[in-house]
Amino acid sequence: MRKSYRVKKESEFQRVFETHNSVANHKFVVYQMEKPGQKHFRVGISVGKKIGNAVHRNWVKRRIRQTLLEVKPKLRSDVDFLVIARSAADGLSMAETKKNLVHVLKRAHLLDEKSED
């Protein structure tokens, strides 16, 4: 993802957390914040140390980024959101990661309703 699509600063992460608008399943938690007039969505990805060592955490982040790239045209543009991986996300295949992440994005109403995967 290009820099313009990322939430990077600690203050931006905290602003999204403070909205207390979250949706979760067993593998991921998604926090979101409305930003009317924004050209495109911005996403922050967090994978905690409970997942494992740095290799495992980066592996999970790459799979999350790839899933987001695949569903990018269907994502709403007027939001900043954070994807937080739970410890159960470690060891998921790419298909399982995509299935679980799409599920939580649909529950958060971040994907278009007409998207059926």
Side-chain angles (χ1 to χ4, degrees), residues 70-89:
E70 290 175 10
V71 299
K72 181 178 169 182
K74 301 172 188 173
L75 285 167
R76 288 180 40 203
S77 63
D78 61 342
V79 292
D80 282 357
F81 65 97
L82 307 177
V83 177
I84 300 167
R86 291 183 164 175
S87 57

Side-chain angles (χ1 to χ4, degrees), residues 13-107:
F13 266 83
Q14 289 305 319
R15 202 172 311 131
V16 177
F17 275 126
E18 288 168 1
T19 62
H20 302 292
N21 191 1
S22 67
V23 176
N25 64 11
H26 292 295
K27 313 291 187 207
F28 300 102
V29 180
V30 172
Y31 285 86
Q32 61 181 327
M33 181 177 74
E34 302 282 332
K35 291 194 81 177
Q38 186 167 264
K39 292 181 183 178
H40 53 76
F41 69 89
R42 294 188 324 148
V43 63
I45 300 172
S46 176
V47 180
K49 289 188 177 181
K50 289 182 180 180
I51 297 289
N53 63 14
V55 173
H56 282 97
R57 291 192 301 271
N58 286 327
W59 183 78
V60 171
K61 284 190 267 189
R62 281 195 305 270
R63 290 179 182 262
I64 292 170
R65 273 191 227 106
Q66 182 59 37
T67 298
L68 291 172
L69 280 173
E70 290 175 10
V71 299
K72 181 178 169 182
K74 301 172 188 173
L75 285 167
R76 288 180 40 203
S77 63
D78 61 342
V79 292
D80 282 357
F81 65 97
L82 307 177
V83 177
I84 300 167
R86 291 183 164 175
S87 57
D90 187 21
L92 292 179
S93 68
M94 184 61 203
E96 292 170 323
T97 301
K98 183 174 181 179
K99 178 182 156 204
N100 283 290
L101 192 54
V102 166
H103 172 258
V104 77
L105 290 172
K106 283 182 180 178
R107 287 190 63 202

